[in-house]
Amino acid sequence: MLWAIILIVVAIPVIVFKPEWAFLCRASLLGLGCMYLLPLLIWTPSRGLVIGAYDIETKTAGFTVGLLLFLAGWAITSTSDLILDAGAVRMNQTLPIVSVHLHSVRSTYIVIAVLLNWGTIYIAREGLVVPNFGKAHVVETLLILMSVFVGLLAGFVLYAVIRCFRAPTKSLTEATRAPLHRLIHKREKDHEFRLLDEARESPDFKHWTKFPVTFLGSPVPYWLGRGYLKESAASPRLFKSILQPHVYAFLGFAVVFVAYLVIFLWCRFWYRGSAPPSLSSLLLLLILCIWFFSAATFFLDAYKIPVSLVVLLIVIIASGIGYAGHYYDLHANPDAPPIRAETERKTRPSEVLSQPLEVGKPAVLICAAGGGIQAAAWTAKVLTGLEEELDKGNGAGTFAKSIRLFSGVSGGSVGIMYYAHATYPVNSSLPDPIERRKSIVQAAEDSSLDPAVFGLAYYDLWRLFWPFEWPKIGRDRAWELEDAWVRNGKRAFASTHSKSLSGATLFAWRRDAATGVRPAVIFNATTVESGEHMMFSTSPLQNNLSSERKIRPFQRDFFSVHPDCDVSIPDVVRLSATFPVVSPAARPNPSVAAEDRYDLVDGGYYDNSGLTALSFWLDDALQDLYAHPRITFPKRILVIQIQPFPEHSARSGDDKTTAQNRFGELLAPALAVLQVRDHVQIAMADGSFDGMAKRWELEAHNPIYVLHDRPVVSIQLESVRFTPESKDDITPLSWHLRQGEVDQIDKSWQDFKISGVMKDIRNFFDNVNNK
């Protein structure tokens, strides 16, 4: 039934336009289709990717969205009208007469598209999903919807003003004085093609094809100017030389271009650091694409040149000019080589594991899985919540001082970044811990989607027209995402007087780990060239730093690849969270040797749990501790795995599988790759950890160590999993959380506090402290 409805909806415009006209107006019709596609995605499994863009939070943002919705409809009508008016002249051939109901049908479709987007804004505001938000939320939602309507009205007023200032125009037939055009439009519909053949043999047709066109009084080759310039006497006036539909289209595009520049200047100069709502940036991209591709098809269709071929050639030429990709900055390591060597020695995994931040504290290792902003917020909520619960009966700072290692992937890296930045060093001079914990959660929950999409609509779009290296001057959507993280932290930590994240670097955190004021941190990424695991670690594995000990293949570490360099923490976290299409793959700036410039993407491609890197690190530390035992050898180790999504449940055998559905043979391979990526990664990470943990529980009984009295190491794994109230809840996969999703995170944590896993974690701390 759904496919039948979609087929009917698509068929109506084609029938009304006629297939030939529908093909010529394909850019406009595809733009109209995109206006439907964006809101309809919220009813598909991909809704988590787009619904955050519709969560409009201010009346100004609502007005901007309303204005751009009208400009999108204006672009569709203006470009299609231009092709309908001048297409036959430009193609130098006769096309079927379009339906008399064209304008009413097209307007109806545009109005429905606007209403769909309007309704999606209401749904994204959770007016239907969470009706118990209260009267204030309902009133605010209604005001935002009203501001969208005001934006639409403002666009209509602007349109009416431009229509009033247009010069009165005659029909295109009279403007061009083309005898063939008059003849075609006088023929009866049943005799279209017969009359066309007669028209081509007529003297008027031969005269019309040779009729000169002029621009500002100068003759222009007919093959170039047909459909653009008037076939009239020479005129020195600009708008007298150009066909009126093009004048009208130019004015419409000028309005869009001015809006594009005004939004950029407003965000970058008047309100520095702000960004328009994501939906506005997406609509701007859509409107610009409608205008660009409509103009391209109008010009190229006359010569039977596919637009896709031209776009492909531009991409190939731009790629051949030079690398126009994305970069992250590397800085020179400020410490002298002897100091770096001493720092390296003190941050070996065995040294970090055996030296707690405070004597007598248990050994706790944290790994946080990826999953966008939900993973970031859940990680921050769990870390601050565990600190609050465990410090109650064990003393202030117990949980924070017990942590020896953080291992993060993607959104989990973001949550770890905020917690490790604001919590350490742990001392009495820190501000109120309650305020600090609230600030950490607030920073992780704050949206960063708007700046990222803004970077896509501006900086990344400009790259298409400047296909050269942008090492210094080139911002991109990833830079905007990082900057948003820094601003979110600065705003959240304003009351705690924490330093800005912009000054935090990986080597500075490594120096803190060496001096015992901050736990070790691993931010996980993946290399594009080989698919290898790239770890940005303040406590690198020894086999990664030594060329003689290459025990584990497919493992790289930042300090082994760039031993004399440093990199900022926001850069590192962004590389760990580089999942398409929100942020692009990036490599070091061009000052780095070419053989060391790996493109990096999200660590989730290798392992989305962070548990694999933690297992490697712990195994490396225990190997060294068993070979060279320390007095503070940890005999019990707690590993806390933070998982931001509910556990996948197997489908019932009675369900109809994807492969049995229509088109299943086409979709099944891609879906299988995605499912294997998720489930196999989880199984492999858990299996690797279980094998490592069992090995070290039995290693003390190894004949090699029995005579040396090595202790039995007990490694306990506890999973802290996000559990929504309903399985049908939307999972936010972008960098924006709606209020209902924030409430779900709070509710899930409250449920976890009374769970058996929380009881086990408390028992671990109680048993260690009682010994």
Side-chain angles (χ1 to χ4, degrees):
M1 178 62 70
L2 178 62
W3 287 105
I5 294 174
I6 294 175
L7 182 62
I8 292 173
V9 170
V10 172
I12 291 177
V14 175
I15 294 173
V16 173
F17 269 86
K18 303 294 185 180
E20 295 89 342
W21 283 119
F23 174 77
L24 294 176
C25 298
R26 59 192 181 276
S28 305
L29 295 179
L30 287 174
L32 179 59
C34 289
M35 290 185 67
Y36 278 86
L37 178 63
L38 283 174
L40 290 178
L41 281 176
I42 70 165
W43 306 107
T44 71
S46 302
R47 57 189 178 273
L49 289 171
V50 297
I51 196 166
Y54 281 89
D55 187 18
I56 308 301
E57 297 180 334
T58 65
K59 293 185 285 295
T60 302
F63 176 85
T64 305
V65 168
L67 176 62
L68 291 175
L69 281 172
F70 184 89
L71 293 182
W74 188 354
I76 293 168
T77 58
S78 182
T79 53
S80 57
D81 280 344
L82 172 62
I83 294 174
L84 293 172
D85 287 343
V89 179
R90 178 62 182 165
M91 301 303 114
N92 200 12
Q93 58 183 322
T94 302
L95 293 172
I97 300 174
V98 296
S99 169
V100 294
H101 303 293
L102 167 67
H103 293 283
S104 58
V105 171
R106 185 182 59 190
S107 299
T108 301
Y109 269 74
I110 293 174
V111 170
I112 294 174
V114 171
L115 292 177
L116 272 176
N117 283 273
W118 201 8
T120 306
I121 293 173
Y122 177 67
I123 294 174
R125 291 281 302 171
E126 300 172 294
L128 293 176
V129 181
V130 187
N132 58 344
F133 270 176
K135 183 178 179 181
H137 177 78
V138 174
V139 171
E140 184 181 3
T141 299
L142 292 177
L143 290 175
I144 289 174
L145 292 175
M146 184 60 66
S147 68
V148 175
F149 175 78
V150 173
L152 288 166
L153 186 61
F156 180 79
V157 171
L158 182 61
Y159 169 81
V161 170
I162 291 180
R163 292 277 298 184
C164 292
F165 278 93
R166 284 179 57 201
T169 59
K170 301 178 181 179
S171 67
L172 186 65
T173 301
E174 296 178 4
T176 55
R177 297 204 297 267
L180 174 64
H181 203 268
R182 290 199 301 272
L183 176 62
I184 291 172
H185 281 272
K186 288 180 181 179
R187 67 177 183 268
E188 296 180 1
K189 186 175 182 180
D190 296 337
H191 302 89
E192 288 178 354
F193 297 102
R194 180 178 60 80
L195 291 178
L196 173 62
D197 293 335
E198 296 176 0
R200 291 187 180 281
E201 299 298 327
S202 67
D204 286 337
F205 179 82
K206 298 178 181 179
H207 170 71
W208 181 68
T209 57
K210 296 180 181 180
F211 203 92
V213 292
T214 61
F215 180 68
L216 296 179
S218 300
V220 176
Y222 175 75
W223 62 268
L224 181 63
R226 71 173 186 264
Y228 290 100
L229 303 174
K230 292 182 179 180
E231 300 172 20
S232 60
S235 172
R237 298 180 61 183
L238 175 62
F239 292 113
K240 289 292 185 179
S241 301
I242 303 174
L243 291 178
Q244 192 64 47
H246 287 285
V247 175
Y248 174 55
F250 172 79
L251 293 175
F253 175 75
V255 171
V256 174
F257 187 71
V258 169
Y260 184 79
L261 290 181
V262 167
I263 291 176
F264 176 77
L265 296 175
W266 182 275
C267 294
R268 280 296 166 265
F269 295 99
W270 284 293
Y271 289 93
R272 299 187 63 180
S274 64
S278 304
L279 185 57
S280 295
S281 298
L282 291 174
L283 287 172
L284 275 174
L285 270 177
L286 174 63
I287 296 169
L288 292 174
C289 287
I290 292 173
W291 282 108
F292 173 78
F293 285 104
S294 295
T297 55
F298 187 81
F299 180 80
L300 295 173
D301 283 351
Y303 312 116
K304 308 299 188 291
I305 300 175
V307 177
S308 57
L309 178 61
V310 175
V311 173
L312 179 62
L313 289 175
I314 293 174
V315 171
I316 292 175
I317 294 172
S319 301
I321 291 176
Y323 180 79
H326 303 263
Y327 296 98
Y328 64 93
D329 285 330
L330 294 185
H331 316 287
N333 196 314
D335 288 351
I339 299 178
R340 294 205 298 267
E342 180 64 14
T343 301
E344 177 183 329
R345 184 188 66 80
K346 291 182 177 180
T347 55
R348 291 175 179 175
S350 57
E351 294 290 336
V352 173
L353 183 61
S354 62
Q355 298 296 329
L357 271 63
E358 184 174 296
V359 176
K361 297 302 181 184
V364 178
L365 311 180
I366 306 289
C367 65
I373 194 170
Q374 177 163 298
W378 180 241
T379 299
K381 190 68 177 180
V382 169
L383 292 175
T384 56
L386 288 175
E387 177 187 309
E388 181 180 6
E389 293 297 315
L390 297 173
D391 284 2
K392 287 179 181 178
N394 301 288
T398 295
F399 177 73
K401 292 177 180 179
S402 300
I403 298 174
R404 314 290 174 90
L405 174 75
F406 292 104
S407 175
V409 180
S410 192
S413 295
V414 178
I416 288 174
M417 172 182 67
Y418 286 127
Y419 184 81
H421 171 71
T423 303
Y424 300 96
V426 181
N427 53 55
S428 58
S429 63
L430 286 176
D432 181 12
I434 297 177
E435 289 299 322
R436 174 179 54 81
R437 289 193 288 262
K438 288 182 179 179
S439 299
I440 292 170
V441 175
Q442 178 188 336
E445 291 177 345
D446 280 349
S447 175
S448 52
L449 180 62
D450 292 349
V453 182
F454 173 82
L456 176 66
Y458 284 90
Y459 300 122
D460 286 347
L461 182 63
W462 298 346
R463 286 171 175 269
L464 298 177
F465 302 96
W466 185 261
F468 300 100
E469 294 184 348
W470 286 43
K472 296 297 183 183
I473 62 174
R475 293 182 176 182
D476 56 17
R477 60 188 184 276
W479 187 95
E480 290 289 330
L481 185 64
E482 288 180 40
D483 192 52
W485 289 341
V486 173
R487 290 198 310 270
N488 291 345
K490 184 177 180 180
R491 181 169 54 250
F493 302 140
S495 61
T496 63
H497 307 290
S498 297
K499 294 182 180 179
S500 173
L501 267 169
S502 60
T505 68
L506 191 66
F507 192 81
W509 281 23
R510 187 178 187 185
R511 195 187 302 116
D512 290 345
T515 56
V517 298
R518 193 187 305 270
V521 178
I522 300 176
F523 297 114
N524 298 276
T526 307
T527 62
V528 174
E529 289 77 6
S530 60
E532 292 179 301
H533 184 199
M534 174 67 79
M535 295 191 294
F536 291 84
S537 176
T538 60
S539 177
L541 305 183
Q542 293 307 295
N543 60 70
N544 281 350
L545 294 178
S546 173
S547 59
E548 298 177 358
R549 296 179 61 198
K550 196 64 177 176
I551 300 174
R552 297 186 180 92
F554 311 116
Q555 293 287 326
R556 292 185 180 273
D557 185 87
F558 173 78
F559 288 115
S560 66
V561 179
H562 308 290
D564 300 323
C565 296
D566 196 5
V567 61
S568 73
I569 292 297
D571 273 343
V572 170
V573 173
R574 183 259 290 190
L575 294 170
S576 177
T578 300
F579 193 80
V581 174
V582 177
S583 55
R587 60 171 54 184
N589 52 40
S591 61
V592 178
E595 61 270 15
D596 295 331
R597 292 167 64 186
Y598 297 101
D599 288 281
L600 299 178
V601 291
D602 197 287
Y605 286 102
Y606 185 88
D607 171 38
N608 196 45
S609 67
L611 187 60
T612 299
L614 184 148
S615 300
F616 290 159
W617 184 90
L618 181 56
D619 188 57
D620 188 287
L622 291 176
Q623 286 185 50
D624 196 11
L625 286 175
Y626 256 68
H628 307 91
R630 312 290 200 275
I631 297 177
T632 54
F633 198 111
K635 300 176 181 61
R636 298 189 64 204
I637 300 172
L638 174 64
V639 176
I640 299 177
Q641 185 180 23
I642 302 174
Q643 298 176 308
F645 298 109
E647 188 172 6
H648 293 282
S649 58
R651 301 185 69 181
S652 171
D654 297 333
D655 291 342
K656 191 174 182 179
T657 64
T658 302
Q660 294 174 321
N661 294 327
R662 291 181 176 86
F663 311 112
E665 292 184 0
L666 297 176
L667 298 177
L671 292 175
V673 169
L674 294 176
Q675 294 298 325
V676 166
R677 173 183 176 270
D678 290 338
H679 297 289
V680 170
Q681 276 192 357
I682 294 172
M684 292 292 289
D686 290 347
S688 174
F689 177 84
D690 290 342
M692 183 272 301
K694 182 60 67 175
R695 171 200 170 181
W696 290 108
E697 288 180 4
L698 300 175
E699 192 70 16
H701 305 288
N702 189 326
I704 299 176
Y705 299 117
V706 168
L707 298 178
H708 298 281
D709 192 25
R710 296 295 189 266
V712 176
V713 178
S714 174
I715 304 174
Q716 177 180 341
L717 175 65
E718 300 292 347
S719 295
V720 184
R721 189 182 294 276
F722 171 74
T723 53
E725 291 182 327
S726 171
K727 294 182 179 180
D728 298 329
D729 288 336
I730 297 174
T731 300
L733 298 177
S734 62
W735 290 104
H736 179 84
L737 281 178
R738 298 176 297 153
Q739 185 57 48
E741 293 156 355
V742 172
D743 294 343
Q744 281 280 3
I745 290 174
D746 294 339
K747 178 65 167 57
S748 181
W749 172 250
Q750 295 301 322
D751 293 341
F752 176 79
K753 288 198 302 183
I754 58 175
S755 67
V757 175
M758 187 67 209
K759 182 179 179 180
D760 292 340
I761 294 175
R762 285 196 182 99
N763 289 338
F764 173 86
F765 276 82
D766 292 341
N767 293 336
V768 170
N769 291 333
N770 291 334
K771 286 186 178 181

